[in-house]
Amino acid sequence: MTKIHNNAVANDRRQDFLMTLPFDIVGGIFSHMNKSDCLKCMGVSRKWFDHVPHHAINLWREITISSLGILNNQLILRCLGPHLRKVNLHGMNECEIGMVLRALAQDGPCNTIRSIELFRCTTIDRRNFANALQPVLASLTEIAFRQHRNMIDVLAFLQVCPNTITHLTFHVSTGYRSAQIYNLENTVPPTLALPQLSLTYLNLHTGIPRPSIEHILRHCPRLMCLVLDAMKPYSSSIWSLLESCTTLCPTIQYLAWGPLYPQDISHWKDRVSATTKNRGLREVVSGSFYHSETFTRMLLQHHQTLEVVRLRRMQNDQDPWCPAIDLVAFEQLQTIYVNNIYTDSTALARWISRCPNLQELSLHMTCADIEQWTENICQALPKQSLKHLYLTQGRSICTINGDESPLYNYIAESSLRTISLSGQDMVTDAILEALAKNAATLRHVALHYNSRVTSNGLRAFARNLRWTLDDLQIVEDASVLQDDVLMPLSTKVRRMTLKRCNGITANGLKAFANTARELKRLQIIECVNIDQEPESIDCIKKVLSNVHVYHVPKRNAETVYFSLA
């Protein structure tokens, strides 16, 4: 009997989990691996060599190739197939690009490649490059040139651009100053004949004259998204180009210019790929804001369709921007983002009041009428539709303390889910009281405060908080947060970030960790007392075994943006 039992145990140990476990469970296991781990697993046995690629399909939907040697790697070739969607090619020339694509799509099983990204590749002759793309043209819809050496300019490429391409990104390797759309009075209009293009997404970061841009747009009847990265509309003639974009391409719904943040436009590719019947400009992103009157005219022209407006870096230090757009309603507008723009808060408040369906408002700015800033903005905010509020004020403001503060009253009556308050005098004990007692819908809170907040105010906030926050971020300019404040928060926060909280000690943080029931993530950044006892972090990691704990001491601290995702 014992011998039979031992044989059964031995057989169980020899069982291959690839064969015995359900397919979806094995696929879940391999989803936590990277490509290197997958290749190591394939080397275990001949059976694993054959079966592992079937469970790791999601790992191989994208591949990066920097040399032709990868085409001789049988492990990698075994993992590729019809599931491969994107190919990144680094530092190759036209001949090598053609050899790779031919090996993958024509001689191999990868016949559904949809996207190719060329990073620092050398392309000299446009027709040779077009021939190199032939093996994948049946399925190819997107091409991206990254740090392109400009051997072929964008007009030359568009002459031979395959009709299947709907997404084109063309970024040259030069800096922002060279990658400008410039306006020269004696510029000769381009004579290159272009075919009717199928582009719906066009992203340009290259030096190009204005007439060439207009020439391209006239041949893009389906264009929905135009990104002019690095363009600064200094002159009125360049502004007229922006205004004429919707005339040259009536289908445009997304327009961006200036030095841009990727997160502002990263979702546009997917949106223009989806079928939509909406007509008119929906989103505007300006990374460099000049000629405020002209921009105001653009907003008025598209007030019926605009859903998102993001503005950064307005160069108007002398005269504040006064958006005189209070005579029309922006029924569709859901997001307003204004950063580093000198404006008039009264005019801005009138614009906000004309947006009845506003869901997100982010103001990081300096106002001409600083004393009335909080009152004007808070009185204009919609109480029902607004869900996310981000306010930053760099200069001192005359905030009314207590329950007479406009911001206090708004928090008490609103249904916010996210609030971020930063700047001098923006956060007070009264505001903390409103957050703890009244805003029952809040789930994400970020606070950056100075000496206007007291330890008693923080203590009352922690004690009176009656629901669990998904995120709590605290950045201090004064050592107000103490150990005894952390304790009541240990059962009311799922993710916490503490930055420059120099009143917290290692013992206080350990006590917090011992009672943290809901905590899923903890970040400690530039907290002096914790930096002096780095062994306390190891102790906290042991206590919070299932919690992600991150410690960034002051000497290694990088820029941490104060925002809630």
Side-chain angles (χ1 to χ4, degrees):
M1 189 68 178
T2 302
K3 184 176 180 180
I4 295 175
H5 175 73
N6 290 339
N7 289 337
V9 172
N11 289 333
D12 288 341
R13 290 175 177 172
R14 286 195 297 269
Q15 285 183 350
D16 190 340
F17 78 91
L18 285 181
M19 304 293 108
T20 56
L21 292 178
F23 186 87
D24 56 340
I25 293 180
V26 178
I29 294 173
F30 279 96
S31 68
H32 295 281
M33 298 184 181
N34 54 35
K35 290 183 173 66
S36 178
D37 295 333
C38 177
L39 297 178
K40 291 177 182 178
C41 290
M42 291 177 65
V44 170
S45 66
R46 180 66 188 182
K47 184 184 293 184
W48 279 41
F49 177 84
D50 292 333
H51 287 86
V52 165
H54 297 294
H55 298 283
I57 286 177
N58 289 332
L59 282 176
W60 298 94
R61 295 191 183 278
E62 179 177 344
I63 188 173
T64 299
I65 300 175
S66 56
S67 68
L68 296 178
I70 199 172
L71 300 179
N72 298 321
N73 190 318
Q74 295 303 314
L75 293 176
I76 293 179
L77 294 179
R78 181 71 180 85
C79 293
L80 303 181
H83 52 273
L84 183 63
R85 293 291 184 268
K86 183 176 182 179
V87 178
N88 303 309
L89 303 177
H90 286 202
M92 293 189 170
N93 57 38
E94 297 159 352
C95 181
E96 292 171 328
I97 292 171
M99 293 175 62
V100 170
L101 297 181
R102 187 164 51 251
L104 293 177
Q106 187 170 308
D107 301 333
C110 308
N111 55 2
T112 56
I113 297 174
R114 296 178 182 174
S115 175
I116 294 177
E117 181 171 305
L118 307 171
F119 182 79
R120 292 184 178 177
C121 290
T122 303
T123 54
I124 300 176
D125 185 86
R126 64 179 186 270
R127 301 200 181 277
N128 290 340
F129 178 69
N131 291 333
L133 298 177
Q134 286 295 325
V136 295
L137 283 186
S139 58
L140 190 65
T141 61
E142 179 180 357
I143 295 180
F145 294 85
R146 302 286 184 186
Q147 296 194 23
H148 181 55
R149 296 173 182 175
N150 222 16
M151 300 296 184
I152 299 178
D153 64 24
V154 63
L155 279 173
F157 171 75
L158 290 175
Q159 274 193 300
V160 295
C161 180
N163 193 46
T164 59
I165 301 300
T166 59
H167 291 58
L168 174 63
T169 299
F170 198 94
H171 283 211
V172 297
S173 58
T174 56
Y176 276 99
R177 291 187 177 274
S178 300
Q180 289 285 339
I181 294 176
Y182 45 90
N183 186 69
L184 300 177
E185 295 181 358
N186 299 323
T187 301
V188 179
T191 57
L192 291 174
L194 294 180
Q196 287 295 95
L197 302 168
S198 301
L199 295 177
T200 59
Y201 176 92
L202 179 60
N203 188 326
L204 298 179
H205 177 103
T206 180
I208 186 171
R210 174 192 165 188
S212 297
I213 287 286
E214 294 174 340
H215 185 55
I216 293 172
L217 295 181
R218 291 190 184 96
H219 292 81
C220 298
R222 303 177 185 175
L223 192 65
M224 296 172 61
C225 173
L226 177 61
V227 180
L228 302 174
D229 194 10
M231 188 195 82
K232 294 183 178 181
Y234 294 108
S235 65
S236 57
S237 59
I238 299 297
W239 257 112
S240 65
L241 166 64
L242 293 174
E243 288 188 292
S244 64
C245 284
T246 53
T247 303
L248 296 172
C249 300
T251 56
I252 282 186
Q253 297 182 19
Y254 307 91
L255 178 62
W257 66 88
L260 302 170
Y261 287 82
Q263 64 268 24
D264 289 343
I265 60 173
S266 58
H267 60 287
W268 286 5
K269 279 188 180 182
D270 295 332
R271 291 195 178 183
V272 300
S273 298
T275 303
T276 176
K277 297 181 181 180
N278 292 343
R279 287 277 181 167
L281 198 60
R282 297 172 61 186
E283 295 192 23
V284 171
V285 177
S286 171
S288 189
F289 191 26
Y290 296 82
H291 296 274
S292 56
E293 292 183 1
T294 309
F295 182 78
T296 300
R297 189 166 62 246
M298 176 185 288
L299 292 180
L300 287 171
Q301 181 182 354
H302 301 283
H303 71 93
Q304 294 180 336
T305 59
L306 276 174
E307 297 175 4
V308 177
V309 175
R310 297 182 183 275
L311 310 177
R312 299 180 189 269
R313 305 187 189 93
M314 182 174 178
Q315 310 297 325
N316 65 336
D317 294 335
Q318 299 299 323
D319 301 318
W321 177 43
C322 298
I325 46 184
D326 55 331
L327 300 179
V328 297
F330 289 74
E331 297 285 349
Q332 305 299 322
L333 194 57
Q334 300 176 12
T335 300
I336 296 178
Y337 178 96
V338 181
N339 187 1
N340 194 21
I341 293 181
Y342 183 50
T343 186
D344 180 88
S345 69
T346 303
L348 183 62
R350 286 200 298 264
W351 178 30
I352 294 172
S353 67
R354 303 297 294 175
C355 306
N357 298 309
L358 191 65
Q359 297 182 14
E360 179 178 338
L361 178 64
S362 185
L363 303 179
H364 311 273
M365 52 198 288
T366 299
C367 290
D369 47 350
I370 192 69
E371 290 79 8
Q372 292 81 35
W373 186 83
T374 306
E375 182 177 357
N376 291 338
I377 298 299
C378 291
Q379 289 179 353
L381 296 177
K383 293 182 173 59
Q384 300 301 322
S385 63
L386 193 66
K387 303 301 179 185
H388 311 282
L389 178 62
Y390 309 84
L391 298 178
T392 300
Q393 181 54 265
R395 292 166 56 187
S396 179
I397 58 179
C398 300
T399 304
I400 303 173
N401 214 340
D403 56 9
E404 295 182 1
S405 164
L407 184 56
Y408 179 99
N409 294 329
Y410 179 77
I411 293 173
E413 299 171 0
S414 69
S415 55
L416 291 172
R417 291 187 58 83
T418 303
I419 188 167
S420 174
L421 302 175
S422 176
Q424 298 184 34
D425 305 330
M426 182 64 70
V427 184
T428 64
D429 289 351
I431 297 300
L432 292 176
E433 177 186 356
L435 293 175
K437 290 184 177 181
N438 301 318
T441 58
L442 272 178
R443 292 297 176 267
H444 311 273
V445 176
L447 305 171
H448 183 178
Y449 52 80
N450 56 14
S451 56
R452 289 290 301 270
V453 173
T454 66
S455 297
N456 289 334
L458 282 174
R459 196 173 292 110
F461 167 75
R463 183 175 60 252
N464 296 328
L465 191 63
R466 294 176 292 181
W467 52 87
T468 300
L469 295 176
D470 290 337
D471 290 283
L472 176 61
Q473 300 182 14
I474 296 178
V475 180
E476 289 196 313
D477 290 333
S479 301
V480 180
L481 186 63
Q482 304 294 328
D483 292 341
D484 61 329
V485 177
L486 279 181
M487 294 305 298
L489 290 174
S490 62
T491 59
K492 302 176 181 179
V493 178
R494 292 192 177 94
R495 293 182 292 272
M496 175 177 279
T497 299
L498 303 173
K499 182 175 181 180
R500 296 200 297 270
C501 299
N502 298 328
I504 297 175
T505 65
N507 290 333
L509 201 58
K510 291 176 185 177
F512 168 81
N514 285 324
T515 57
R517 301 172 186 172
E518 301 287 342
L519 198 64
K520 303 298 181 185
R521 180 187 178 97
L522 177 63
Q523 294 188 88
I524 306 160
I525 305 169
E526 301 181 45
C527 298
V528 173
N529 292 330
I530 308 301
D531 295 348
Q532 293 174 353
E533 298 185 43
E535 64 278 359
S536 63
I537 296 297
D538 296 330
C539 179
I540 292 170
K541 288 181 178 180
K542 291 179 181 179
V543 174
L544 302 172
S545 57
N546 295 324
V547 176
H548 297 287
V549 179
Y550 302 91
H551 175 226
V552 183
K554 188 172 183 178
R555 61 181 181 277
N556 296 328
E558 298 178 354
T559 302
V560 178
Y561 293 99
F562 183 72
S563 64
L564 288 171

